Amino acid sequence: MLLASYLVGWLLLTGAFTALARTLDTRQHPLRGPVRLVRGAVLFLTLLTLVGHELGWGDPLTATTWRLNTLRVVETLLWLAVIAAAVGIATHLATTRREGTQYHTRVPKLLLDIVRLILVLVGACFVVSGVWGYDPTGLLTALGVSSIVLGLALQNTLDNVMVGIAVLFERPFEVGDWITVGSITGEVVEMNWRSVRIRTRARDLVIVPNSVIGKETLVNMSRPTKAHAESHVIGFSYDDPPNKVKRVLMGVVRSTRGVLADPVPAIRTVNYAAYSIEYQVRFFIEDYQRQQEINDEFMTRVWYAAKRNHLNIPFPIQTSYEYHGELPKPPDQHKRTAAALASVPVFVPLEPAELDALSHECEQLDFGRGERVVNQGDPGDAMYVVLEGTAIVTITDGTGSEREVARLSRGEFFGEMALLTGDPRTANVTAVDDLSTLVVHKSALESMLHKRPGLAQEMAEIVESRRLGLKAVKDLQIAPPEKQAAVQHAAGELLGRVRRFFGL
Ligand code: CMP
């Protein structure tokens, strides 16, 4: 009768735990493992233990040694399953937290392992004394002796574990920090008992034993704050005034993406060297992962900015050639400029002599990928003709986000709107790739317009068509027939303004 009720109880409880396990499974709940263990192993072993006791297999006076030991083995398995389930539940309660539908570990893996080990040792003592009737002190003494032996054998491993524990409590770095240990620099991806795993820039995984971390000097680029200083020493010619160099370098630092405004960047004159005056540029970055890209962008832009501002970056000359023949003629820059101007549609009607005159007043300026040529809202007294590369025209709206208006390539020009009207720049223009431009200043265009008033009419039409393009991007799209009429009408008005502005 009692046996039948054990069986019924087991069936009912198994049914209930199966249902519970299914619910936990669907929610990916961390407790689903322990619950399955109770349903499968604990309940069944409990049933066997109860039946065994009911049949008298647990009575040392009447049962045979074989039956007694069989029941003890079953009970030992039962307690092992109970300990495993309890460890699962306890670690879940102590270590996980829920965020939405996800569960995260709150405590580092190393600490969890220590807690689990202690629970298993306590459970083992309990089984040894409660089920088998032995004195647990014997086990503990055995453990003590064997730990000395093990300790000697595993000296290195224990060294790693102890430093691991120290690192855990001292917390000199966390997962996600960028560190340098010895010659290794990378991002910490995992810390465990034995080692720290670091992913380097070469995308390799380096496993640094904790004992090495304990002995080496460790640099954490992500602490105490994520701000990290980068320093460059750049030499400029003795002919370049230091304050001008500093101003240009500061402009480049400020325009480099990823450089922090605070702490403030600093530029110092550090050395009067053999062939250059050396300047140290120091700025802060936050995203160490992008360190090399940020430095690359900065160093690349220095070259373009130096060229635009007629600054010289000297270099020592290693090889000298002596040539006694006729000197090669330097390429005629003005001829090339005039040829480039002749390919611009609005300048096509100009005579060669007029193009030549214009070319003498133009200047070539080069920009690196991503550099701003023209800023929306700035005053402007020059227009640019694209010689090589592509420029993108964008407008910044009230929220600060940029929208593309057009892309301009070889032969096209920009910056004419502010130049012709005296208004602020209507849009931003940025180099998409390396961009080579010819700059036509107001004075040069002025003399051209005086000679050829028809040019003003043509440019006014282009300006108006572009204005409509800007407007379309800003708000409404305008239908082509209306657009045509609107361009002609507005171009007429604009032409009047241009004539007044240039005194034509
Ligand atoms: P400016 O206003 O001096 O400076 C920004 C320049 O962007 C502007 O002159 C034009 O040259 C150019 N720009 C503005 N709108 C357009 C457009 N719709 N299409 C092509 N270029 C444009």
Side-chain angles (χ1 to χ4, degrees):
M1 189 57 203
L2 203 58
L3 288 183
S5 60
Y6 285 157
L7 203 59
V8 172
W10 174 69
L11 284 172
L12 286 176
L13 282 172
T14 305
F17 271 89
T18 306
L20 181 61
R22 282 212 187 107
T23 324
L24 296 179
D25 268 347
T26 52
R27 284 200 233 143
Q28 295 281 309
H29 196 285
L31 275 182
R32 63 192 187 283
V35 167
R36 261 204 241 113
L37 195 64
V38 172
R39 184 203 58 184
V42 175
L43 289 179
F44 182 64
L45 290 167
T46 309
L47 176 73
L48 289 186
T49 309
L50 289 174
V51 170
H53 278 290
E54 193 54 35
L55 296 176
W57 288 26
D59 189 344
L61 298 177
T62 56
T64 60
T65 321
W66 185 85
R67 286 183 176 172
L68 205 58
N69 282 343
T70 307
L71 191 60
R72 279 178 178 161
V73 169
V74 172
E75 275 186 61
T76 304
L77 291 176
L78 169 63
W79 283 113
L80 287 182
V82 169
I83 291 166
V87 166
I89 294 169
T91 26
H92 161 65
L93 294 179
T95 62
T96 49
R97 91 184 113 98
R98 199 183 160 141
E99 268 169 28
T101 55
Q102 300 278 315
Y103 289 88
H104 297 273
T105 305
R106 226 190 301 161
V107 180
K109 192 168 166 291
L110 189 56
L111 196 62
L112 275 187
D113 290 345
I114 296 171
V115 170
R116 283 195 197 117
L117 184 71
I118 291 170
L119 283 174
V120 169
L121 283 179
V122 171
C125 285
F126 180 72
V127 170
V128 165
S129 65
V131 178
W132 295 88
Y134 293 125
D135 184 359
T137 46
L139 176 75
L140 290 177
T141 319
L143 268 178
V145 173
S146 50
S147 40
I148 293 172
V149 177
L150 275 174
L152 288 172
L154 302 174
Q155 211 169 17
N156 267 341
T157 315
L158 286 179
D159 197 9
N160 286 335
V161 172
M162 293 323 287
V163 179
I165 294 171
V167 163
L168 189 73
F169 286 104
E170 197 189 328
R171 289 197 164 272
F173 53 80
E174 301 240 7
V175 169
D177 282 1
W178 277 78
I179 61 169
T180 299
V181 189
S183 58
I184 310 284
T185 296
E187 186 183 359
V188 178
V189 286
E190 197 196 315
M191 301 148 67
N192 63 29
W193 282 100
R194 212 186 64 76
S195 59
V196 171
R197 284 159 190 259
I198 297 176
R199 189 172 43 221
T200 64
R201 280 193 198 287
R203 298 184 184 230
D204 298 326
L205 188 69
V206 180
I207 296 159
V208 185
N210 286 341
S211 56
V212 173
I213 301 229
K215 283 173 204 136
E216 290 278 356
T217 307
L218 185 134
V219 183
N220 187 341
M221 275 76 81
S222 309
R223 303 289 179 89
T225 63
K226 285 216 180 297
H228 163 82
E230 286 295 319
S231 185
H232 299 272
V233 174
I234 308 172
F236 282 89
S237 162
Y238 272 84
D239 293 335
D240 298 331
N243 283 337
K244 180 177 176 189
V245 172
K246 287 182 184 177
R247 215 170 33 248
V248 171
L249 286 176
M250 190 54 95
V252 178
V253 170
R254 295 231 160 95
S255 74
T256 304
R257 283 165 303 166
V259 171
L260 299 180
D262 184 34
V264 183
I267 297 167
R268 298 187 179 91
T269 312
V270 285
N271 191 17
Y272 286 91
Y275 56 91
S276 67
I277 302 180
E278 290 180 344
Y279 300 86
Q280 186 197 46
V281 182
R282 211 170 120 97
F283 54 77
F284 288 82
I285 63 169
E286 202 166 47
D287 188 356
Y288 196 78
Q289 183 137 21
R290 286 195 58 237
Q291 179 223 23
Q292 289 183 330
E293 286 138 62
I294 297 171
N295 283 335
D296 165 65
E297 188 170 314
F298 168 71
M299 290 303 262
T300 308
R301 287 185 176 190
V302 164
W303 186 89
Y304 288 98
K307 192 132 194 274
R308 277 199 303 279
N309 289 282
H310 312 292
L311 298 177
N312 265 314
I313 304 175
F315 51 91
I317 294 163
Q318 308 259 336
T319 321
S320 77
Y321 295 96
E322 279 190 28
Y323 180 72
H324 300 289
E326 214 173 280
L327 281 177
K329 281 203 178 115
D332 190 343
Q333 180 65 36
H334 294 303
K335 280 225 171 71
R336 284 199 292 146
T337 308
L341 285 171
S343 68
V344 179
V346 284
F347 296 137
V348 165
L350 300 184
E351 299 292 336
E354 289 169 330
L355 283 172
D356 192 51
L358 186 59
S359 71
H360 276 85
E361 293 182 77
C362 290
E363 163 186 30
Q364 182 175 335
L365 286 191
D366 295 338
F367 296 85
R369 180 160 57 97
E371 276 197 296
R372 267 285 150 87
V373 185
V374 155
N375 272 308
Q376 186 176 332
D378 280 0
D381 62 353
M383 62 177 265
Y384 301 75
V385 178
V386 178
L387 292 181
E388 211 62 67
T390 311
I392 182 171
V393 181
T394 56
I395 46 170
T396 313
D397 62 19
T399 64
S401 60
E402 284 187 32
R403 271 183 288 162
E404 177 172 344
V405 180
R407 276 173 192 250
L408 305 172
S409 51
R410 190 186 166 86
E412 293 180 286
F413 56 83
F414 58 87
E416 79 294 346
M417 291 166 92
L419 175 63
L420 288 174
T421 59
D423 290 341
R425 298 283 191 201
T426 53
N428 309 299
V429 183
T430 312
V432 174
D433 39 30
D434 278 6
L435 182 73
S436 195
T437 63
L438 263 190
V439 186
V440 182
H441 290 286
K442 189 178 171 193
S443 53
L445 191 69
E446 199 164 12
S447 54
M448 219 61 259
L449 291 178
H450 274 106
K451 279 187 214 147
R452 292 212 166 241
L455 199 62
Q457 163 79 36
E458 218 172 303
M459 291 187 81
E461 273 182 28
I462 292 175
V463 168
E464 260 331 300
S465 148
R466 285 183 169 180
R467 273 209 185 141
L468 276 185
L470 277 179
K471 204 159 174 239
V473 173
K474 271 186 198 148
D475 44 30
L476 46 141
Q477 296 289 335
I478 298 167
E482 292 168 44
K483 181 175 169 181
Q484 189 67 30
V487 168
Q488 277 168 4
H489 173 72
E493 281 182 10
L494 181 72
L495 186 59
R497 276 183 65 198
V498 171
R499 286 197 174 125
R500 281 194 296 283
F501 188 58
F502 280 87
L504 297 176

